[in-house]
Structure formats: C-alpha cells, structure tokens
Amino acid sequence: MEKIKFRNDLLFGVATASTQIEGGDTNHTWYDWTKDGNKTKDGSTSLRANSHWNNYKAHIDLMKELNLEIYRMSIEWSRIEPTEGCFSDEAMEHYIDEINYLKDKGIKVLVTLHHFSNPIWFEKKGGFKLKDSPLYFARYVDFVVRHLNGLVSEFCTINEPNIYAINCFLYGEWLNEEKSFSSCMRVLRNMTRSHIEAYKVIHNVISDSKVGIALNMNNFIPKNKKNLFDKIETWFFDRCFNKLMSYSMGYGKYILPLGIKCKKGVFFDYFGINYYTSNLVHKGKLEVDPSWDTNNLGWGITPFGFDKIINKVHKMFPDKEIYITENGTCDKDDSFRAKYLYDHLEVLSKYDFIKRYYHWTFMDNFEWKEGESACFGLVKYNYEDGTYELRNSALFYKELIKKRYMDLDMLKKYMGEKDD
Ligand code: BGC
C-alpha cells in the first residue's frame, strides 16, 4: 500500500473564527444583522455558537487529543474595543489566557485580526467604506499586538476581504446588503490600506513576526474551452477574485479594476490560501460541473483545483512560503470528509514550500448566512445541549498527524460510516 508521507516542517491544525465559535457577544455586526431571526437559513444568530468563550479549555483539550500542532484563531475586534477608543483589558486577558493554554498544550497559534465582523460603532461610522478605516483598524491591531508580544509571532491581518466585500457590497447577501460595484471596490481599497497599515504596526511591535494574508481562491474554468467568451470571462473572474487582492495586499499594487495607484513595498511574509472549490464560468455565471462530486452546500469537490491554485500562487510569489489557511467541506454525515482530506492532502504533500495546513474547521459552528445548519466540523456539535463528539474524519486526521503519512487502508478504516 503506497504511503503518502508528510515532511516534518509541514504542520497540521485547524482554523476557526471568533464570531463563528465564541458566542455571547452582542457588540458586532453579525449579531446586529441576524438578531431578528430572519437573515440566516435557520434563523439562528452567532449568540450561542459553540460557547467557546466559556469552554475554550475543554475545546483545546480535545484539539490536543487530536494531535493538532497548530491553531488559527481570530480575535473579535468588538470585544477588544466595544466602544470607540475604549479598549477592554478584560477581553484581552481572556485571549491571553486562551493562548497561554494553547501554548501549554504545545499548540502553536496564528492570530487573525479580522474575520468578517466589525464592532457596531465602527460600522455605524461607515466601516471599511470610511477613508479613515485603516487608522481605526491599525489602532486596534496595535493594542492587540502589544499585548501578544512574546506570545504569538504569526498573524493574519484580514481574512478573505474578497469574500467579505463581494457578499456585503456586490451581491448584497450579507450585512450591508448593497449591490454596488463602486462600494465593493472602495471597501477592497480600504481593506488593502488597512492590511498594509496593520502589517507595518505588527512588524513595528514584533520585528521577527510573520504576517500574512488569507485569501479565498477559486479555480475558475471556462465551461467550454473552445468558446472565446467563456475564456475571457474566466480570465476576468480569476483576475478580479484571485489576483486583485493578492497583488494589492501583497505589494500595494492596485491593478484594474481596483485602481491604478501603485505603492512600492512587500507587505506579506507568507501567502495564505483558503481553498474550497472550483467553478465553471459561462455567461457571467458560476456553475458546477455535473460530473463533480458535491458537498452538502452543492460546492464541487475538486482537489485538482487545489493543485492549480497552489501552482498559480507559487508562480505569482515564487519566493514566499505558502500556508493553507483554510480547506474543508460541509458534510453533515461525515460520509466523504475523510476522502476530501485525503485527496487534498495528497496534493499538498508534493510541495515543499507549503508549511502549514489548517483544516476548516474544528467543530460545526455558526456558518454565516447558513447559520447553524452547515456542518464543516471534524467534531460534531449539538447546539441544544453544547455536547460534541469526534467524527471519523477527525480520527483519520488524528492518525495521519501522528504517523506523518496516510495510505488507502487508513482512509478505508474511517470512511463511509454515518454518524447520525
Ligand atoms: C470563511 C469561513 C467559512 C468557510 C466555509 C471561508 O470562506 O473564511 O469563515 O466558514 O469559508 O464557508
């Protein structure tokens, strides 16, 4: 049986986001937007989530049990700065305790400073549409990073500005519910500037830190490879979704249609890929090839696209380390998650410039507009009573981390059993 081996400098872990797991915070935009119960698929809000804020120790104990080596977590801006200019030492202490607990367990932490949610006061002022938004963001980042000096050396400034801006300002499906191309571009420009300011602030405080970006990357494919329109549209999608923010956040280069301003610099120490799927492009729309397997949300399961995206990013930034800051799937019955892991990890095992793999996600959590209905967790979570249990895919992940290889026998052992 062929063994797929993993290098020792490739570390395995999971990624989460504060809004999706912590529960209890009513000061951020996601709670504000969903509180009336008619915005998410199941009417849920982020209020209970995984009650991680109160139960982080038990959750981290379970991470340790799974042999996880690294953990990507985020800090909730609205907890740290609940009202403009007033910073909460208590909330900061809580995060410090949590990070110390992780460190005691030997789990290395990467901190994300913004993951889709804003304090309500900041949003009321205009959020990332505001010209001064980079100053507000940098002030919060400065506070956090000064407190984490000596504890954390790896940071991600802003998670997936492309998804955030498109969903909130172009498709009108999240929070701001706007459908405006110019608002979307404006927010992307300000998020770029915010990232650059944050990058400088973090390096100023912790000079040997590693600061990067995490972008959602989609493998776009022309539906008909001989059709010139499909090919042009695919080029356009790739440019707008994958490349725009990579170059602007990475080098301060505002390529069209974002703008033409060009600042010189290098504003990332690693590039974080969040990869989930591929799409066919046809007549301005994204489609799923009927021959692909799909997950519970109808997203194509396309490990070949992972390979394409890794190569694309490596070609764009050949001298940079790549982290897989997110990769995972929605699989309530856990009937294909282990296979998804196997196929995607097989791809990344070929590349020695990939240093981290953060699976999305640890336990089922508040999945934005899908609410509590979507199950991305290695761990199954019961929202009614707060209990949880390991899925088979978690046991598969646990074993491969310990052995530093996987093979088809191992995969078979964990496949196919329903957990409901
Ligand atoms: C986001 C996560 C989200 C995941 C699954 C990513 O785009 O960063 O917050 O839960 O996708 O939809």
Side-chain angles (χ1 to χ4, degrees):
M1 187 67 54
E2 197 208 341
K3 284 191 171 106
I4 296 172
K5 295 188 180 148
F6 302 109
R7 293 174 331 276
N8 284 335
D9 68 347
L10 168 66
L11 303 181
F12 292 103
V14 290
T16 64
S18 50
T19 317
Q20 294 180 268
I21 64 170
E22 286 178 351
D25 184 7
T26 54
N27 258 327
H28 59 64
T29 39
W30 275 92
Y31 176 73
D32 199 40
W33 187 60
T34 55
K35 64 177 185 252
D36 292 338
N38 56 5
K39 295 295 184 190
T40 53
K41 197 168 172 178
D42 53 5
S44 61
T45 72
S46 56
L47 199 56
R48 58 182 181 180
N50 301 139
S51 293
H52 179 78
W53 188 256
N54 295 324
N55 293 303
Y56 72 83
K57 286 190 179 158
H59 296 171
I60 294 168
D61 289 347
L62 190 58
M63 288 180 196
K64 180 70 189 162
E65 199 184 311
L66 288 178
N67 298 328
L68 302 185
E69 300 163 310
I70 47 174
Y71 179 45
R72 175 177 171 230
M73 59 179 273
S74 77
I75 303 261
E76 191 69 56
W77 184 357
S78 62
R79 284 193 190 272
I80 298 294
E81 193 180 357
T83 52
E84 187 179 346
C86 295
F87 293 87
S88 164
D89 289 328
E90 205 186 325
M92 197 63 238
E93 281 305 318
H94 183 104
Y95 283 118
I96 291 172
D97 289 347
E98 178 171 354
I99 292 169
N100 271 322
Y101 198 75
L102 281 153
K103 282 190 86 170
D104 288 348
K105 300 278 166 194
I107 300 173
K108 189 175 165 62
V109 176
L110 183 152
V111 164
T112 301
L113 292 147
H114 186 276
H115 195 127
F116 295 164
S117 109
N118 295 332
I120 295 174
W121 66 262
F122 173 70
E123 193 63 52
K124 280 200 175 135
K125 287 180 97 75
F128 283 100
K129 277 181 155 181
L130 208 65
K131 193 158 169 271
D132 284 344
S133 49
L135 300 180
Y136 291 105
F137 185 61
R139 185 176 64 175
Y140 144 73
V141 170
D142 185 67
F143 178 87
V144 171
V145 171
R146 283 187 194 283
H147 283 85
L148 295 184
N149 195 357
L151 260 188
V152 178
S153 59
E154 299 198 345
F155 295 89
C156 165
T157 54
I158 302 180
N159 179 70
E160 296 185 351
N162 50 353
I163 289 283
Y164 172 81
I166 288 171
N167 283 339
C168 296
F169 299 97
L170 189 65
Y171 292 165
E173 286 177 359
W174 284 5
L175 305 171
N176 310 69
E177 298 187 40
E178 259 195 66
K179 290 185 180 173
S180 154
F181 183 75
S182 66
S183 291
C184 181
M185 289 301 136
R186 182 165 160 185
V187 165
L188 286 175
R189 269 194 294 271
N190 284 335
M191 289 188 116
T192 298
R193 294 169 53 229
S194 300
H195 158 75
I196 293 173
E197 285 311 311
Y199 180 88
K200 291 181 191 158
V201 164
I202 301 169
H203 272 289
N204 192 20
V205 178
I206 312 174
S207 55
D208 59 349
S209 54
K210 273 191 162 184
V211 185
I213 48 192
L215 282 176
N216 190 300
M217 307 287 278
N218 190 320
N219 175 46
F220 298 109
I221 309 164
K223 183 172 181 183
N224 180 347
K225 291 195 176 62
K226 291 189 183 136
N227 181 319
L228 183 64
F229 293 109
D230 285 3
K231 284 187 0 193
I232 294 173
E233 279 178 358
T234 302
W235 173 87
F236 186 72
F237 270 96
D238 183 49
R239 182 176 175 95
C240 291
F241 193 78
N242 293 328
K243 293 195 172 144
L244 204 69
M245 292 308 279
S246 305
Y247 286 122
S248 71
M249 292 174 87
Y251 296 138
K253 256 190 189 176
Y254 293 12
I255 63 172
L256 284 170
L258 194 60
I260 48 168
K261 204 164 147 204
C262 188
K263 262 194 200 168
K264 277 211 183 100
V266 179
F267 306 111
F268 67 123
D269 307 316
Y270 68 87
F271 190 98
I273 297 177
N274 291 359
Y275 176 79
Y276 288 88
T277 193
S278 303
N279 277 110
L280 301 179
V281 181
H282 182 59
K283 291 195 174 162
K285 296 234 154 63
L286 298 180
E287 298 180 12
V288 173
D289 189 314
S291 71
W292 298 341
D293 289 334
T294 50
N295 74 9
N296 297 164
L297 298 175
W299 302 358
I301 300 180
T302 56
F304 59 86
F306 193 33
D307 206 18
K308 286 257 162 55
I309 289 295
I310 290 171
N311 279 294
K312 183 191 293 286
V313 172
H314 185 55
K315 210 168 141 199
M316 281 157 68
F317 309 115
D319 58 340
K320 290 288 174 196
E321 286 183 351
I322 292 181
Y323 290 4
I324 306 304
T325 33
E326 283 180 34
N327 170 245
T329 194
C330 183
D331 176 15
K332 190 168 194 287
D333 297 332
D334 204 41
S335 57
F336 53 84
R337 184 179 287 101
K339 171 95 168 69
Y340 181 100
L341 255 168
Y342 184 95
D343 291 341
H344 287 75
L345 292 183
E346 182 175 21
V347 170
L348 78 79
S349 68
K350 296 187 291 182
Y351 301 105
D352 63 3
F353 49 82
I354 300 183
K355 304 293 181 191
R356 306 271 188 273
Y357 176 82
Y358 297 93
H359 188 76
W360 186 272
T361 186
F362 178 53
M363 44 172 76
D364 299 336
N365 57 36
F366 175 74
E367 173 55 34
W368 312 118
K369 212 173 153 58
E370 301 293 324
E372 295 170 349
S373 69
C375 302
F376 278 84
L378 291 165
V379 177
K380 178 181 173 180
Y381 188 76
N382 184 339
Y383 293 92
E384 296 310 322
D385 58 12
T387 55
Y388 43 88
E389 64 196 78
L390 292 177
R391 292 193 162 113
N392 277 343
S393 49
L395 300 174
F396 173 62
Y397 198 38
K398 174 180 176 171
E399 188 171 336
L400 76 84
I401 298 173
K402 174 149 188 261
K403 293 189 165 153
R404 302 212 68 80
Y405 72 79
M406 57 182 189
D407 61 28
L408 287 172
D409 272 347
M410 241 166 92
L411 174 63
K412 272 193 216 132
K413 200 161 85 184
Y414 298 109
M415 276 287 295
E417 281 173 39
K418 308 250 173 189
D419 68 349
D420 273 343

